[in-house]
Amino acid sequence: MRFQLLGPLALADGPDTVVLQPSKPANLLAALLLHANSPVSAEYLQRAVWGEEQPATARAALQTCVLRLRRLFSKHGVTTSIEAVPGGYRITAAPPTLDLLGFRDRVRRAAGLDRDPEAELCALRDALSLWQGSLLANVRSVVLHRDEVPRLAEERLRAVERVCDLLLGLGRCGEALVDLWTATRVHPGHERFHEQLIEALYRCGRQSQALAEYRRVKGFLLEELGVDPSPSLRRLELAVLRGEDLGPAGPAAPRVIRGEAVPLAAARPALAPDAAPSTAPDAASATARATASATPLGASPVVAVSGTPAPAEGGPPVQGTTPVAAPAPAPAAGTAFAPVAASRIEPVPAVPHFTGRAAETAALTARLTAPPPPGPEDHRPLTVLVSGAPGIGKSALAQHAARLVRDAFPAGQLLVRMTHADGEPRPADEVAADVAAALGASGDGRALLILDDVVDADQVRPLLAPKGEAGAGPGPAVVVTSRMGLGGLIATHGGWVQRLTTFTEAESYALLLTALGAERVEAEPRAAHRLAAVCGHFPAALRILTARLLTRPGLRLSDAADWLGDDPLARLTLTDSPDHSVTGLFDRALGRLDPRLSEAFTHLAQGPPTLLDDQGPEDEGPVPEAVREQLADAGLLEDGPPGPYRIHDLLRAHVRRTARIRDRRTEKV
């Protein structure tokens, strides 16, 4: 059993979560957990529960609240007890049983990884994954929200700052932009985020946007606070105006441990060639990348560079860099180079609250742990393709199954993102170089790779080349996730296909139970089924819905179903993270289509369902079968019935809504 504070106050047991309803005992529990393992005075607890103006019977009422909490713990099998100590109470917790302590413990561990920025970044992202929404949204204590919530929010902001510093230091400016756009809009007065955003834009060659962002924050500070930007922001603006080379990225940033700032060494920067030390020349990095890119999976790249020692065994992999001209360099400064995005490879993360897909999970884990077939094919990696529509849960299934079979892959499991942060596909040779370097640094035994969000077969084929060494045994197992069917890849390289569809009604209900808690869902089962139906049993839509409902613990499910049914597309979005929306998901998927296919799909979605039939309506005839096959292969058409194909209701509504908006804009012009 775990206590969750970093979001709505909740009790979690495995996949089951109980979000507590707003009440005086909830206020008391939050106050105790915020000071876990320390005595908390009765006076403070009374103020946390009732505020500054307390009833005359507050002391006795506090004891009643403690008794109610103890009964709640007993009901849900919580072994942690609330102890009476002189002058107050104490609750005992540890990192595995309280997410706040877990967050601080992971941040503390990250502090010891300052010599390995990739590992530190991974550790910090793991820590930040524990935050599940608005802090203590279901705790109605003025004292806690006034005194404790800002302190906790500051701990998170410092961790986010450090993450962005590390990304900049590693040259992954495009990835840093994803976090910084959100951070600057949610926290408009936080100047450090604006400084990082301007720097990331400038290093990406977007000088005009960097200057526009400076003007925006300057206007906000003058209008709202009547102050000028900080000296560091003004210096950065001047450097952007002059087109100066900013030099190595990654300034030192404080790390937060138990709310205290600890100075840190800077992340190791991706150095410009003209500033690179003699111990790591650019030529060596370029040679390493060129050699690694030609190395198939399972082979160990060997790079010999005169005067350059090879990395120690078990050390961080060597990753080459491609020089890119910095934005508008000053003529007198000579030729300057900016760092580029580094590897998008990380250990396979856990999937919180994974629900459903029992048959698919069992089949995938059985396939991954089965012995390889005999014969010449044992030199080719075992390949499993998980395909389906955008947002259907391909990545979640692949990662969940990988974690279940991790003992079968002692050399490790790696998640390889096949697109950049902006959605653009990564070149196959770039991915091959990063994968070869990562496998070269892995341990003994077999490895498992998840090639996530593959755009086409050409991205994958170079990675599935046979090892070519007789008797060497199979290479790493490979799980490919893609919206595309990739039939050509399966035809040429073999493998096994798991095509995902929408949830069943039972799976949708189980997801709501897991995410919202049994008490809330079982109190209104019909409303829960209505919510799942409005979401079309679409996993991404259900996840967004549950995130919204968790931040509104007092909202009845029947009221939520009415509210969502009025405009599901507009309301299936997270207001503090607009990228997490059904409309954004569909827009990005349609944006990948060839324009002619996109036009054909818009025609199908706006027309009657009979357009998908082999005969078609009398006045129009059928859409060519080849076009329908391509759209089905792209995950935009689902198998029938009715008919051979159909369009998911949410996707059809999105296309029609987009067309109406476009037509209105055209009319205004």
Side-chain angles (χ1 to χ4, degrees), residues 169-543:
L170 290 165
R172 294 157 63 173
C173 300
E175 191 175 340
L177 286 174
V178 178
D179 293 323
L180 289 169
W181 281 121
T182 300
T184 52
R185 273 49 185 174
V186 175
H187 307 282
H190 198 293
E191 290 188 65
R192 177 59 186 150
F193 284 145
H194 290 285
E195 187 176 340
Q196 290 172 317
L197 176 59
I198 294 168
E199 179 182 345
L201 288 168
Y202 182 58
R203 290 184 183 275
C204 287
R206 296 155 69 173
Q207 184 181 24
S208 60
Q209 284 184 271
L211 291 171
E213 181 63 22
Y214 175 82
R215 288 192 292 270
R216 198 189 72 80
V217 66
K218 180 180 180 181
F220 172 83
L221 293 172
L222 286 173
E223 183 176 346
E224 298 295 327
L225 305 175
V227 298
D228 291 320
S230 65
S232 59
L233 260 178
R234 296 200 297 271
R235 286 193 297 270
L236 181 58
E237 182 217 13
L238 189 59
V240 174
L241 285 170
R242 292 174 174 173
E244 295 177 353
D245 178 13
L246 298 183
R255 182 180 282 108
V256 59
I257 299 175
R258 288 186 173 272
E260 299 174 1
V262 179
L264 291 179
R268 287 182 298 182
L271 295 176
D274 56 357
S278 59
T279 55
D282 238 33
S285 294
T287 306
R289 176 172 290 278
T291 305
S293 65
T295 307
L297 294 189
S300 299
V302 179
V303 183
V305 181
S306 177
T308 304
E313 183 178 356
V318 176
Q319 296 172 4
T321 57
T322 303
V324 178
T335 304
F337 295 86
V340 299
S343 169
R344 288 178 60 75
I345 299 180
E346 61 181 288
V348 174
V351 181
H353 307 313
F354 184 87
T355 306
R357 308 289 191 204
E360 292 89 342
T361 301
L364 184 52
T365 54
R367 182 69 57 169
L368 290 174
T369 54
E377 286 297 317
D378 64 358
H379 300 299
R380 190 185 301 280
L382 165 68
T383 306
V384 179
L385 170 63
V386 181
S387 62
I392 207 69
K394 303 178 292 295
S395 300
L397 173 63
Q399 293 172 32
H400 179 66
R403 300 276 294 192
L404 292 177
V405 299
R406 56 183 176 269
D407 291 342
F409 299 94
Q413 302 171 309
L414 296 175
L415 177 65
V416 184
R417 303 194 186 278
M418 301 297 287
T419 58
H420 292 292
D422 59 2
E424 288 296 313
R426 299 176 63 199
D429 58 346
E430 174 188 308
V431 177
D434 287 344
V435 168
L439 289 178
S442 63
D444 296 331
R446 202 177 188 198
L448 172 64
L449 301 178
I450 297 178
L451 306 182
D452 190 43
D453 198 15
V454 169
V455 176
D456 56 44
D458 290 338
Q459 264 193 312
V460 183
R461 285 194 176 100
L463 300 172
L464 300 181
K467 294 172 64 176
E469 183 179 345
V478 178
V479 177
V480 174
T481 73
S482 178
R483 300 171 187 177
M484 308 299 294
L486 301 183
L489 180 70
I490 298 299
T492 58
H493 286 70
W496 179 72
V497 179
Q498 177 69 65
R499 184 81 174 181
L500 299 186
T501 60
T502 54
F503 275 164
T504 64
E505 188 172 352
E507 287 176 324
S508 297
Y509 189 79
L511 188 149
L512 294 176
L513 279 173
T514 299
L516 301 179
E519 290 186 1
R520 189 174 183 185
V521 173
E522 290 176 351
E524 299 179 84
R526 291 186 179 179
H529 284 292
R530 281 177 57 205
L531 284 170
V534 173
C535 291
H537 304 289
F538 200 72
L542 288 164
R543 286 293 184 187

Side-chain angles (χ1 to χ4, degrees), residues 30-32 34-35 40-51 54 62 87 141 143-144 146-148 151:
L32 288 169
L34 286 167
H35 302 275
V40 186
S41 69
E43 290 76 11
Y44 175 82
L45 293 174
Q46 289 167 203
R47 286 193 295 111
V49 173
W50 286 280
Q54 304 165 22
L62 179 65
S141 167
V143 170
L144 295 183
R146 181 194 66 199
D147 299 338
E148 302 293 343
R151 178 174 58 82

